[in-house]
Amino acid sequence: MLGKDPESQEGQSPTLFATDRTDRATYIAQGWRVTDPQVLAEIGPVPDHETLVEIPEEVLEFYVRRYQEGQGEEN
């Protein structure tokens, strides 16, 4: 876990995780499921094996911090 939204309430914590994959750098975002029909229409079709999540900008700062520390560079 890189960090979670400091503004979130208990049980509703958008969170950013780094994986330990060795073939490439990947991240997992835990956030709010996107259900807004207008947003979904603007994005277009999403394959059945994928989903969209919305996370606050503050949570992405955890990625920036990791990248700046040199931990997020691809091998």
Coordinates of all heavy atoms in Angstrom, one line a residue:
M1 N 0.8 -1.2 0.0 CA 0.0 0.0 0.0 C 0.9 1.2 0.0 O 1.8 1.4 0.8 CB -0.9 0.0 1.2 CG -1.8 1.2 1.2 SD -2.9 1.3 2.6 CE -2.0 2.3 3.7
L2 N 0.6 2.1 -1.0 CA 1.4 3.4 -1.0 C 0.7 4.4 -0.2 O 1.4 5.3 0.4 CB 1.5 3.9 -2.5 CG 2.3 3.0 -3.4 CD1 2.3 3.6 -4.8 CD2 3.7 2.8 -2.9
G3 N -0.6 4.4 -0.1 CA -1.3 5.4 0.7 C -2.8 5.4 0.4 O -3.2 4.9 -0.6
K4 N -3.6 6.0 1.3 CA -5.0 6.2 1.0 C -5.4 7.6 1.2 O -4.7 8.4 1.8 CB -5.8 5.2 1.9 CG -5.8 5.6 3.4 CD -6.7 4.6 4.2 CE -6.8 5.1 5.6 NZ -7.8 4.3 6.3
D5 N -6.6 7.9 0.7 CA -7.1 9.3 0.7 C -7.3 9.7 2.2 O -8.1 9.1 2.9 CB -8.5 9.3 0.0 CG -9.1 10.7 0.0 OD1 -8.5 11.7 0.4 OD2 -10.3 10.8 -0.4
P6 N -6.6 10.8 2.6 CA -6.7 11.2 4.0 C -8.1 11.8 4.3 O -8.4 12.0 5.5 CB -5.6 12.3 4.1 CG -5.3 12.7 2.7 CD -5.6 11.5 1.8
E7 N -8.8 12.2 3.3 CA -10.2 12.8 3.5 C -11.3 11.7 3.6 O -12.4 12.0 3.8 CB -10.5 13.7 2.3 CG -9.5 14.8 2.1 CD -9.6 15.9 3.2 OE1 -10.8 16.2 3.6 OE2 -8.6 16.4 3.6
S8 N -10.9 10.4 3.3 CA -12.0 9.4 3.3 C -12.5 9.0 4.6 O -11.8 9.1 5.6 CB -11.5 8.2 2.5 OG -10.4 7.6 3.3
Q9 N -13.7 8.5 4.6 CA -14.3 8.0 5.8 C -14.0 6.5 6.0 O -13.6 5.9 5.0 CB -15.8 8.3 5.8 CG -16.2 9.7 5.7 CD -17.7 9.9 5.6 OE1 -18.5 8.9 5.6 NE2 -18.1 11.1 5.4
E10 N -14.2 6.0 7.1 CA -14.0 4.6 7.4 C -14.8 3.7 6.4 O -16.0 4.0 6.2 CB -14.4 4.2 8.8 CG -14.1 2.8 9.2 CD -12.6 2.6 9.4 OE1 -11.8 3.5 9.7 OE2 -12.2 1.4 9.1
G11 N -14.1 2.8 5.8 CA -14.8 1.9 4.9 C -14.9 2.5 3.5 O -15.4 1.8 2.6
Q12 N -14.5 3.7 3.2 CA -14.6 4.3 1.9 C -13.2 5.0 1.6 O -13.1 6.2 1.5 CB -15.7 5.3 1.9 CG -17.0 4.8 2.1 CD -18.1 5.8 2.1 OE1 -17.9 7.0 1.9 NE2 -19.4 5.4 2.3
S13 N -12.2 4.1 1.5 CA -10.9 4.6 1.4 C -10.3 4.4 0.0 O -9.7 3.4 -0.2 CB -10.0 4.0 2.5 OG -10.5 4.2 3.7
P14 N -10.4 5.4 -0.9 CA -9.6 5.2 -2.1 C -8.1 5.0 -1.8 O -7.6 5.8 -1.0 CB -9.8 6.5 -2.9 CG -11.2 7.0 -2.3 CD -11.2 6.6 -0.9
T15 N -7.5 4.0 -2.3 CA -6.2 3.6 -2.0 C -5.4 3.3 -3.2 O -5.9 2.8 -4.2 CB -6.2 2.4 -1.0 OG1 -7.1 2.7 0.0 CG2 -4.9 2.0 -0.5
L16 N -4.1 3.5 -3.2 CA -3.2 3.2 -4.3 C -2.2 2.2 -3.7 O -1.5 2.3 -2.7 CB -2.5 4.4 -4.8 CG -1.6 4.2 -6.0 CD1 -2.5 3.8 -7.2 CD2 -0.8 5.5 -6.4
F17 N -2.0 1.1 -4.5 CA -1.1 0.0 -4.2 C -0.1 -0.2 -5.3 O -0.4 0.0 -6.4 CB -1.9 -1.4 -4.0 CG -2.9 -1.4 -3.0 CD1 -4.2 -1.0 -3.3 CD2 -2.7 -1.8 -1.7 CE1 -5.2 -1.0 -2.4 CE2 -3.7 -1.8 -0.7 CZ -4.9 -1.4 -1.1
A18 N 1.1 -0.5 -4.9 CA 2.2 -0.9 -5.9 C 2.2 -2.4 -5.8 O 2.2 -3.0 -4.8 CB 3.5 -0.3 -5.5
T19 N 2.4 -3.1 -7.0 CA 2.5 -4.5 -7.0 C 4.0 -4.9 -7.0 O 4.8 -4.0 -7.1 CB 1.9 -5.1 -8.3 OG1 2.7 -4.7 -9.4 CG2 0.4 -4.7 -8.5
D20 N 4.2 -6.2 -6.8 CA 5.6 -6.7 -6.8 C 5.9 -7.5 -8.0 O 6.8 -8.3 -8.0 CB 5.9 -7.5 -5.5 CG 5.0 -8.7 -5.4 OD1 4.1 -8.9 -6.2 OD2 5.1 -9.4 -4.4
R21 N 5.3 -7.2 -9.1 CA 5.5 -7.8 -10.4 C 7.0 -7.6 -10.8 O 7.5 -6.5 -10.6 CB 4.6 -7.4 -11.5 CG 3.2 -7.8 -11.3 CD 2.3 -7.2 -12.3 NE 2.7 -7.7 -13.6 CZ 1.9 -8.0 -14.6 NH1 0.6 -8.0 -14.5 NH2 2.4 -8.4 -15.8
T22 N 7.6 -8.6 -11.4 CA 9.0 -8.4 -11.8 C 9.1 -8.0 -13.3 O 10.2 -7.6 -13.7 CB 9.8 -9.6 -11.5 OG1 9.2 -10.8 -12.2 CG2 9.9 -9.9 -10.0
D23 N 8.0 -8.3 -14.1 CA 8.1 -8.0 -15.5 C 7.8 -6.6 -15.9 O 8.2 -6.1 -17.0 CB 7.2 -9.0 -16.3 CG 5.7 -8.9 -15.9 OD1 5.5 -8.5 -14.7 OD2 4.9 -9.2 -16.7
R24 N 7.1 -5.8 -15.0 CA 6.8 -4.4 -15.3 C 6.2 -3.8 -14.0 O 5.7 -4.4 -13.1 CB 5.9 -4.2 -16.4 CG 4.5 -4.9 -16.2 CD 3.6 -4.7 -17.4 NE 2.4 -5.5 -17.3 CZ 1.4 -5.3 -18.0 NH1 1.4 -4.5 -19.0 NH2 0.3 -6.1 -17.8
A25 N 6.4 -2.5 -13.9 CA 5.8 -1.7 -12.8 C 4.3 -1.6 -13.0 O 3.9 -1.1 -14.0 CB 6.5 -0.4 -12.6
T26 N 3.5 -2.0 -12.0 CA 2.1 -1.8 -12.1 C 1.5 -1.4 -10.7 O 2.2 -1.5 -9.7 CB 1.3 -3.2 -12.5 OG1 1.6 -4.1 -11.5 CG2 1.8 -3.7 -13.8
Y27 N 0.4 -0.8 -10.8 CA -0.3 -0.2 -9.6 C -1.8 -0.7 -9.6 O -2.3 -0.9 -10.7 CB -0.2 1.3 -9.6 CG 1.2 1.7 -9.5 CD1 2.0 1.9 -10.7 CD2 1.9 2.0 -8.3 CE1 3.3 2.3 -10.6 CE2 3.2 2.3 -8.3 CZ 3.9 2.5 -9.4 OH 5.2 2.9 -9.4
I28 N -2.3 -0.8 -8.4 CA -3.7 -1.1 -8.3 C -4.4 0.0 -7.6 O -3.9 0.5 -6.5 CB -3.9 -2.4 -7.5 CG1 -3.3 -3.6 -8.3 CG2 -5.4 -2.7 -7.2 CD1 -3.3 -4.9 -7.6
A29 N -5.5 0.5 -8.2 CA -6.2 1.6 -7.6 C -7.5 1.1 -7.0 O -8.3 0.4 -7.7 CB -6.5 2.7 -8.6
Q30 N -7.8 1.3 -5.7 CA -9.0 1.0 -5.1 C -9.8 2.3 -5.0 O -9.3 3.3 -4.5 CB -8.8 0.5 -3.7 CG -10.1 0.2 -2.9 CD -9.8 -0.2 -1.5 OE1 -8.8 -0.8 -1.2 NE2 -10.8 0.1 -0.6
G31 N -10.9 2.4 -5.6 CA -11.7 3.7 -5.6 C -13.2 3.4 -5.8 O -13.7 2.3 -5.5
W32 N -13.8 4.5 -6.2 CA -15.3 4.4 -6.3 C -15.6 3.9 -7.7 O -15.1 4.4 -8.7 CB -15.9 5.8 -6.1 CG -15.6 6.4 -4.8 CD1 -16.0 5.9 -3.6 CD2 -14.8 7.5 -4.5 NE1 -15.5 6.7 -2.6 CE2 -14.7 7.7 -3.1 CE3 -14.1 8.4 -5.3 CZ2 -14.1 8.7 -2.5 CZ3 -13.4 9.5 -4.7 CH2 -13.4 9.6 -3.3
R33 N -16.5 2.9 -7.8 CA -16.9 2.4 -9.1 C -17.6 3.5 -9.9 O -18.5 4.2 -9.3 CB -17.9 1.2 -8.9 CG -18.3 0.6 -10.2 CD -19.2 -0.6 -10.0 NE -18.4 -1.7 -9.4 CZ -18.8 -2.4 -8.3 NH1 -20.0 -2.1 -7.8 NH2 -18.1 -3.3 -7.9
V34 N -17.2 3.6 -11.1 CA -17.8 4.7 -12.0 C -19.2 4.1 -12.5 O -19.2 3.1 -13.2 CB -16.9 5.0 -13.1 CG1 -17.6 6.1 -14.1 CG2 -15.6 5.6 -12.6
T35 N -20.3 4.8 -12.2 CA -21.6 4.3 -12.6 C -22.3 5.5 -13.3 O -23.4 5.2 -13.9 CB -22.4 3.9 -11.4 OG1 -22.6 4.9 -10.5 CG2 -21.8 2.6 -10.7
D36 N -21.8 6.6 -13.4 CA -22.4 7.8 -14.0 C -22.6 7.5 -15.5 O -21.6 7.3 -16.2 CB -21.6 9.0 -13.8 CG -22.2 10.3 -14.4 OD1 -22.7 10.3 -15.5 OD2 -22.3 11.3 -13.6
P37 N -23.8 7.4 -16.0 CA -24.0 7.1 -17.4 C -23.3 8.0 -18.4 O -22.8 7.6 -19.4 CB -25.6 7.1 -17.6 CG -26.1 7.0 -16.2 CD -25.1 7.6 -15.3
Q38 N -23.3 9.3 -18.1 CA -22.7 10.3 -19.0 C -21.2 10.0 -19.0 O -20.6 10.0 -20.1 CB -22.9 11.7 -18.5 CG -22.3 12.7 -19.4 CD -22.7 14.2 -19.0 OE1 -23.5 14.4 -18.1 NE2 -22.1 15.1 -19.6
V39 N -20.5 9.8 -17.9 CA -19.1 9.5 -17.9 C -18.8 8.2 -18.6 O -17.9 8.1 -19.5 CB -18.6 9.4 -16.4 CG1 -17.1 8.9 -16.4 CG2 -18.7 10.7 -15.7
L40 N -19.6 7.2 -18.4 CA -19.4 5.9 -19.1 C -19.6 6.1 -20.6 O -18.8 5.5 -21.4 CB -20.4 4.8 -18.6 CG -20.1 4.4 -17.1 CD1 -21.3 3.5 -16.6 CD2 -18.8 3.7 -17.0
A41 N -20.5 6.9 -21.0 CA -20.8 7.1 -22.5 C -19.6 7.9 -23.1 O -19.2 7.6 -24.2 CB -22.0 7.9 -22.7
E42 N -19.0 8.8 -22.3 CA -17.9 9.6 -22.8 C -16.6 8.7 -23.0 O -15.8 8.9 -23.9 CB -17.6 10.8 -21.9 CG -18.6 11.8 -22.0 CD -18.4 12.9 -20.9 OE1 -17.4 12.9 -20.2 OE2 -19.3 13.8 -20.8
I43 N -16.5 7.7 -22.0 CA -15.3 6.9 -22.1 C -15.4 5.8 -23.1 O -14.5 5.5 -23.8 CB -15.1 6.2 -20.7 CG1 -14.6 7.3 -19.7 CG2 -14.0 5.1 -20.7 CD1 -14.5 6.9 -18.3
G44 N -16.6 5.3 -23.3 CA -16.8 4.3 -24.3 C -16.8 2.9 -23.7 O -16.8 2.7 -22.5
P45 N -16.9 1.9 -24.6 CA -17.0 0.5 -24.1 C -15.8 0.1 -23.2 O -14.6 0.4 -23.5 CB -17.0 -0.3 -25.4 CG -17.4 0.6 -26.5 CD -16.9 2.0 -26.0
V46 N -16.1 -0.6 -22.2 CA -15.1 -1.2 -21.3 C -15.2 -2.7 -21.3 O -16.3 -3.2 -21.1 CB -15.3 -0.7 -19.8 CG1 -14.3 -1.3 -18.9 CG2 -15.2 0.8 -19.7
P47 N -14.1 -3.4 -21.7 CA -14.2 -4.9 -21.8 C -14.8 -5.5 -20.5 O -14.6 -4.9 -19.4 CB -12.8 -5.3 -22.0 CG -12.1 -4.1 -22.6 CD -12.8 -2.9 -21.9
D48 N -15.4 -6.6 -20.6 CA -16.0 -7.3 -19.4 C -15.0 -7.6 -18.3 O -15.4 -7.7 -17.2 CB -16.8 -8.6 -19.9 CG -18.0 -8.3 -20.6 OD1 -18.6 -7.1 -20.5 OD2 -18.5 -9.2 -21.4
H49 N -13.8 -7.8 -18.7 CA -12.8 -8.2 -17.7 C -12.1 -7.0 -17.1 O -11.1 -7.2 -16.3 CB -11.7 -9.2 -18.4 CG -10.9 -8.5 -19.4 ND1 -11.4 -8.4 -20.7 CD2 -9.7 -7.9 -19.4 CE1 -10.5 -7.8 -21.5 NE2 -9.5 -7.5 -20.7
E50 N -12.5 -5.8 -17.4 CA -12.0 -4.6 -16.8 C -13.1 -3.8 -16.2 O -14.3 -4.0 -16.4 CB -11.3 -3.7 -17.9 CG -10.2 -4.4 -18.6 CD -9.6 -3.5 -19.7 OE1 -10.1 -2.4 -20.0 OE2 -8.6 -4.0 -20.3
T51 N -12.7 -2.8 -15.4 CA -13.7 -1.9 -14.8 C -13.0 -0.5 -14.7 O -11.8 -0.3 -14.9 CB -14.1 -2.4 -13.4 OG1 -15.2 -1.6 -12.9 CG2 -13.0 -2.3 -12.3
L52 N -13.8 0.5 -14.3 CA -13.3 1.8 -14.1 C -13.5 2.2 -12.6 O -14.5 1.9 -12.1 CB -14.1 2.8 -15.0 CG -14.1 2.6 -16.5 CD1 -15.0 3.6 -17.1 CD2 -12.7 2.8 -17.0
V53 N -12.5 2.8 -12.0 CA -12.6 3.3 -10.7 C -12.2 4.8 -10.7 O -11.3 5.2 -11.5 CB -11.8 2.5 -9.7 CG1 -12.2 1.1 -9.6 CG2 -10.3 2.5 -10.0
E54 N -12.8 5.5 -9.8 CA -12.5 6.9 -9.7 C -11.8 7.1 -8.4 O -12.2 6.7 -7.3 CB -13.7 7.8 -9.7 CG -13.5 9.2 -9.6 CD -14.8 10.0 -9.8 OE1 -15.9 9.4 -9.9 OE2 -14.7 11.3 -9.7
I55 N -10.6 7.8 -8.4 CA -9.9 8.0 -7.2 C -9.5 9.5 -7.1 O -9.3 10.2 -8.1 CB -8.6 7.2 -7.0 CG1 -7.6 7.4 -8.2 CG2 -8.9 5.7 -7.0 CD1 -6.3 6.7 -8.1
P56 N -9.4 10.1 -5.9 CA -9.1 11.5 -5.8 C -7.6 11.8 -6.2 O -6.7 10.9 -6.1 CB -9.2 11.8 -4.3 CG -9.9 10.6 -3.7 CD -9.7 9.5 -4.6
E57 N -7.4 13.0 -6.7 CA -6.0 13.4 -7.1 C -5.0 13.2 -5.9 O -3.9 12.9 -6.2 CB -6.1 14.8 -7.5 CG -4.8 15.3 -8.1 CD -4.9 16.7 -8.7 OE1 -5.1 17.7 -7.9 OE2 -4.8 16.9 -9.9
E58 N -5.5 13.4 -4.7 CA -4.6 13.3 -3.6 C -4.0 11.9 -3.5 O -2.9 11.7 -3.0 CB -5.3 13.7 -2.3 CG -5.7 15.1 -2.1 CD -7.0 15.5 -2.9 OE1 -7.7 14.6 -3.4 OE2 -7.3 16.7 -2.9
V59 N -4.7 10.9 -3.9 CA -4.2 9.5 -3.8 C -3.1 9.3 -4.9 O -2.2 8.6 -4.6 CB -5.4 8.5 -4.0 CG1 -4.9 7.1 -4.1 CG2 -6.4 8.7 -2.9
L60 N -3.2 10.0 -6.0 CA -2.2 9.9 -7.0 C -0.9 10.5 -6.6 O 0.2 10.1 -7.1 CB -2.7 10.5 -8.3 CG -3.9 9.8 -9.0 CD1 -4.3 10.6 -10.2 CD2 -3.6 8.4 -9.3
E61 N -0.9 11.4 -5.6 CA 0.3 11.9 -5.1 C 1.2 10.9 -4.5 O 2.4 11.0 -4.5 CB 0.0 13.0 -4.1 CG -0.6 14.3 -4.7 CD -1.1 15.3 -3.7 OE1 -0.8 15.2 -2.5 OE2 -1.7 16.3 -4.1
F62 N 0.6 9.8 -4.0 CA 1.5 8.7 -3.5 C 2.3 8.1 -4.6 O 3.4 7.7 -4.4 CB 0.6 7.6 -2.8 CG -0.1 8.1 -1.6 CD1 -1.5 8.3 -1.6 CD2 0.6 8.4 -0.5 CE1 -2.1 8.8 -0.5 CE2 0.0 8.9 0.7 CZ -1.4 9.1 0.6
Y63 N 1.7 8.0 -5.9 CA 2.5 7.5 -7.0 C 3.6 8.5 -7.3 O 4.8 8.1 -7.5 CB 1.6 7.3 -8.2 CG 2.5 7.1 -9.5 CD1 3.1 5.8 -9.7 CD2 2.7 8.1 -10.4 CE1 3.9 5.7 -10.8 CE2 3.5 7.9 -11.5 CZ 4.1 6.7 -11.7 OH 4.9 6.5 -12.7
V64 N 3.3 9.8 -7.4 CA 4.3 10.8 -7.7 C 5.5 10.7 -6.7 O 6.7 10.7 -7.1 CB 3.7 12.2 -7.7 CG1 4.8 13.3 -7.8 CG2 2.7 12.3 -8.8
R65 N 5.2 10.6 -5.4 CA 6.2 10.5 -4.4 C 7.1 9.3 -4.6 O 8.3 9.3 -4.6 CB 5.5 10.4 -3.0 CG 6.5 10.5 -1.9 CD 5.8 10.6 -0.5 NE 4.8 11.6 -0.5 CZ 3.6 11.5 0.1 NH1 3.3 10.3 0.6 NH2 2.7 12.4 0.0
R66 N 6.4 8.1 -4.9 CA 7.2 6.9 -5.2 C 8.1 7.0 -6.4 O 9.2 6.6 -6.4 CB 6.3 5.7 -5.3 CG 6.9 4.4 -5.6 CD 5.9 3.3 -5.7 NE 6.5 2.0 -6.1 CZ 6.9 1.1 -5.3 NH1 6.8 1.3 -4.0 NH2 7.4 0.0 -5.7
Y67 N 7.5 7.6 -7.5 CA 8.3 7.8 -8.7 C 9.5 8.7 -8.5 O 10.6 8.5 -8.9 CB 7.4 8.4 -9.8 CG 8.1 8.5 -11.1 CD1 8.2 7.4 -11.9 CD2 8.6 9.7 -11.6 CE1 8.9 7.4 -13.2 CE2 9.2 9.8 -12.8 CZ 9.4 8.7 -13.6 OH 10.0 8.8 -14.8
Q68 N 9.3 9.8 -7.7 CA 10.4 10.8 -7.5 C 11.5 10.1 -6.6 O 12.6 10.5 -6.7 CB 9.8 12.0 -6.8 CG 9.0 12.9 -7.7 CD 8.3 14.0 -7.0 OE1 8.1 14.0 -5.8 NE2 8.0 15.1 -7.8
E69 N 11.1 9.2 -5.8 CA 12.1 8.5 -5.0 C 12.8 7.4 -5.8 O 13.7 6.7 -5.3 CB 11.4 7.8 -3.8 CG 10.9 8.8 -2.8 CD 10.0 8.1 -1.7 OE1 9.7 6.9 -1.8 OE2 9.6 8.9 -0.8
G70 N 12.5 7.2 -7.1 CA 13.2 6.2 -7.9 C 12.6 4.8 -7.8 O 13.1 3.9 -8.5
Q71 N 11.5 4.7 -7.1 CA 11.0 3.3 -6.9 C 10.0 2.9 -8.0 O 9.7 1.8 -8.2 CB 10.2 3.2 -5.6 CG 11.1 3.5 -4.4 CD 12.1 2.5 -4.2 OE1 11.9 1.3 -4.3 NE2 13.3 3.0 -3.8
G72 N 9.5 3.9 -8.8 CA 8.5 3.6 -9.8 C 9.1 3.5 -11.2 O 8.4 3.3 -12.1
E73 N 10.4 3.5 -11.3 CA 11.0 3.4 -12.6 C 10.9 1.9 -13.1 O 11.1 1.0 -12.4 CB 12.5 3.8 -12.6 CG 12.6 5.3 -12.2 CD 14.1 5.6 -12.1 OE1 15.0 4.8 -12.5 OE2 14.3 6.8 -11.6
E74 N 10.6 1.8 -14.4 CA 10.5 0.5 -15.0 C 11.9 -0.1 -15.2 O 12.8 0.6 -15.4 CB 9.8 0.5 -16.3 CG 8.3 0.9 -16.2 CD 7.5 0.8 -17.5 OE1 7.9 0.0 -18.3 OE2 6.6 1.6 -17.7
N75 N 12.0 -1.4 -15.1 CA 13.2 -2.1 -15.3 C 13.6 -2.3 -16.7 O 12.8 -2.5 -17.5 CB 13.2 -3.5 -14.6 CG 13.0 -3.4 -13.1 OD1 13.5 -2.4 -12.5 ND2 12.3 -4.3 -12.5

